[in-house]
Amino acid sequence: MNAPRMNTLDPVAEWHRILEDRDIAALASLLHDDAVFLSPVVHTPQRGKRLVMGYLGAAAEVLGNPSFRYVREIMGARDAMLEFETEIDGVQVNGIDLIRWDDAGRIIEFKVMVRPLKAIQAVHAKMGERLQAQGDREG
């Protein structure tokens, strides 16, 4: 007999809900305190819930326009690959979110990869603007 899973999130379903509802504050309960964000345009891993929330919030604003859609999901026991497509300033963006989580369903690692090069350049420029704006609001 399997023991019931108590207080365990379905991290992918919750991620989809957060994006759909634009409820970035809900990331606080989805992310592990020591979560790591790996960006296609930032050399070093971004560590800690606060930084990861900032990057994911900015990414949701930059990528989450009306053209954004997930086109494929590959699910594992504690990880998932979500392929997405969107358009930024006329540039077609194709990317993946690689997500890993712990036993409680809290995200411990979120890695984003983007192609082609023109898309990376567009994402880099827009993310820089968005993160600067976030910094200006917090500072």
Side-chain angles (χ1 to χ4, degrees), residues 47-115:
R47 299 182 185 279
K49 184 186 289 191
R50 184 174 164 271
L51 276 176
V52 174
M53 282 185 69
Y55 275 87
L56 289 176
E61 289 181 37
V62 167
L63 299 171
N65 62 51
S67 70
F68 181 89
R69 69 187 181 284
Y70 281 111
V71 296
R72 182 167 51 153
E73 294 185 359
I74 301 172
M75 302 294 293
R78 287 207 196 143
D79 58 3
M81 187 281 305
L82 311 178
E83 182 181 5
F84 62 86
E85 295 175 348
T86 192
E87 184 178 316
I88 298 175
D89 296 337
V91 176
Q92 295 296 315
V93 178
N94 175 239
I96 60 171
D97 295 333
L98 292 173
I99 306 169
R100 289 190 316 124
W101 56 87
D102 65 10
D103 287 337
R106 303 281 186 248
I107 292 175
I108 56 175
E109 183 180 273
F110 201 111
K111 181 185 297 184
V112 179
M113 297 184 193
V114 172
R115 62 165 303 280

Side-chain angles (χ1 to χ4, degrees), residues 25-66:
L27 281 172
S29 63
L30 182 59
L31 294 172
H32 188 278
D33 288 344
D34 298 321
V36 176
F37 179 76
L38 298 144
S39 166
V41 295
V42 177
H43 176 68
T44 58
Q46 302 303 299
R47 299 182 185 279
K49 184 186 289 191
R50 184 174 164 271
L51 276 176
V52 174
M53 282 185 69
Y55 275 87
L56 289 176
E61 289 181 37
V62 167
L63 299 171
N65 62 51

